Amino acid sequence: MAYSGIGGQAVMEGVMMKNQEVYAVAVRKPDHEIIVEKKQYTGVCKNAFLKNMVFVRGIFNFIDSMVLGISCLTFSASFYEEEEEAPKPRSEKREKAEMGVTVALAVVMAVAIFMALPFYASLFFQRFFHSETLVLLAEGALRILIFVGYLLMISQMEDIRRVFMYHGAEHKCINCIEHGLDLTLENVRNSSREHKRCGTSFLFVVIIVSVIATMFIRADSRILRLLLRLAIIPLIAGVSYEFIRLAGRSENPIVNLLSKPGMLLQRLTTREPDEEMIEVGIASVEAVFDWKPYVEKLRNGK
């Protein structure tokens, strides 16, 4: 499988695809028309050196994914809001401020649920385990269980299931062209809905790396241990990004093996899309990526 450089995410009744600094959101409107919005996003960091620095670039990439993802979700949801009253116009400055608050709240909630909660819950295990290593392993196992349980829970929601179907369409479109196939309805339908560069895999790697990293954090003070865990989150994100980046460009057997757990989890966060969803995914890809010369180059072995 080749590396195309494009990536994306599912949104409400649509797909966002991004190629370098250009992205497009394709949404299936209630009247079944596909609308495509194409824009540029340069990212929160404007310094080229920092944006390409190993371990640091992953931090900015994660923030960019959050900001752009929420923006695209808001755009797609706007077509399905109840039209009780005309929306009030908002300034660009206000929109950016609201986006910043939303991203900050999302990060705080994620840290509270997947970092702080398992940490304080692990204190209960100290009653049964005298070994600090066993307590840390129990905390890590709990962190993984919370993550998997969260995915299982939201996957039962009808609206989320449809988003997961569009997530499957997104993966299938990327897999189709990265395997040298024309981006047609039939080829996309027959492509895999699992991809090594998926955000689900990234989050799973983040949790695994955090479990390994916390094994080396030893302190008598509970508050200090928690603060140290929070302090290394950017490093964990940076390391996890580098692995996902490597996995997306490598067919090394060891890398493929290490990628398997994350790809298995994608069976929870992706579903088989219908034809209309695939058409939306194709429209999103074609808005940002000229796939025909890319596929031709793959076929010629260049």
Side-chain angles (χ1 to χ4, degrees):
M1 184 182 71
Y3 172 71
S4 64
I6 63 171
Q9 73 165 63
V11 296
M12 183 177 290
E13 297 300 326
V15 174
M16 182 275 285
M17 287 289 184
K18 186 172 183 289
N19 181 20
Q20 297 181 9
E21 294 183 348
V22 180
Y23 74 94
V25 189
V27 178
R28 177 77 72 175
K29 294 170 61 178
D31 62 3
H32 295 283
E33 176 193 358
I34 298 177
I35 184 169
V36 180
E37 180 178 81
K38 183 177 177 180
K39 287 186 176 181
Q40 260 198 328
Y41 179 73
T42 56
V44 296
C45 178
K46 309 303 179 184
N47 187 294
F49 177 74
L50 289 176
K51 286 179 72 172
N52 293 288
M53 183 183 293
V54 177
F55 299 123
V56 174
R57 58 190 174 189
I59 301 170
F60 292 118
N61 186 273
F62 176 70
I63 296 172
D64 287 338
S65 297
M66 291 280 290
V67 172
L68 186 58
I70 292 173
S71 175
C72 293
L73 279 169
T74 302
F75 170 76
S76 64
S78 67
F79 295 99
Y80 291 85
E81 293 174 348
E82 293 183 0
E83 298 180 357
E84 296 178 355
E85 57 181 30
K88 298 178 180 179
R90 296 180 298 172
S91 67
E92 184 178 348
K93 186 176 181 180
R94 181 181 175 183
E95 287 185 354
K96 287 184 177 180
E98 291 177 352
M99 190 66 63
V101 171
T102 303
V103 171
L105 287 175
V107 171
V108 170
M109 287 295 294
V111 169
I113 294 172
F114 299 112
M115 295 293 287
L117 178 60
F119 170 73
Y120 282 108
S122 70
L123 300 179
F124 172 77
F125 298 124
Q126 292 181 358
R127 301 179 183 180
F128 307 99
F129 303 131
H130 297 293
S131 168
E132 187 175 356
T133 299
L134 289 177
V135 173
L136 290 171
L137 287 173
E139 178 188 346
L142 183 59
R143 195 172 295 163
I144 295 171
L145 286 173
I146 290 174
F147 179 62
V148 175
Y150 171 76
L151 293 181
L152 283 169
M153 181 182 68
I154 65 172
S155 66
Q156 303 307 309
M157 301 167 64
E158 183 178 351
D159 288 344
I160 298 299
R161 279 202 301 270
R162 287 194 62 81
V163 172
F164 285 174
M165 291 172 74
Y166 277 103
H167 191 194
E170 175 224 329
H171 282 191
K172 282 174 171 285
C173 286
I174 297 175
N175 277 321
C176 177
I177 58 176
E178 289 189 340
H179 283 84
L181 300 173
D182 288 343
L183 194 63
T184 64
L185 191 65
E186 186 65 26
N187 287 340
V188 172
R189 185 191 297 113
N190 294 328
S191 296
S192 172
R193 70 174 200 259
E194 298 169 6
H195 198 282
K196 288 189 289 185
R197 288 188 285 114
C198 175
T200 303
S201 293
F202 171 75
L203 292 176
F204 182 73
V205 173
V206 164
I207 291 177
I208 296 301
V209 173
S210 71
V211 172
I212 297 172
T214 53
M215 298 294 291
F216 298 95
I217 298 178
R218 306 295 175 100
D220 293 332
S221 169
R222 294 177 181 175
I223 298 299
L224 181 58
R225 289 204 305 271
L226 178 59
L227 290 176
L228 288 173
R229 280 165 166 74
L230 298 179
I232 64 171
I233 288 176
L235 177 61
I236 291 170
V239 172
S240 302
Y241 172 79
E242 295 303 328
F243 174 77
I244 293 297
R245 190 174 187 274
L246 171 65
R249 292 166 166 78
S250 173
E251 288 299 326
N252 182 283
I254 296 177
V255 174
N256 287 340
L257 180 63
L258 293 175
S259 300
K260 282 293 183 183
M263 294 182 73
L264 286 173
L265 273 180
Q266 291 176 37
R267 296 183 182 180
L268 293 178
T269 62
T270 63
R271 293 286 189 271
E272 286 296 328
D274 58 31
E275 289 190 0
E276 285 197 340
M277 293 174 175
I278 292 174
E279 288 171 354
V280 171
I282 291 174
S284 184
V285 172
E286 292 185 329
V288 299
F289 188 73
D290 189 2
W291 60 268
K292 291 182 179 179
Y294 173 82
V295 168
E296 187 65 28
K297 190 179 292 185
L298 288 183
R299 289 173 179 169
N300 295 332
K302 295 181 181 179

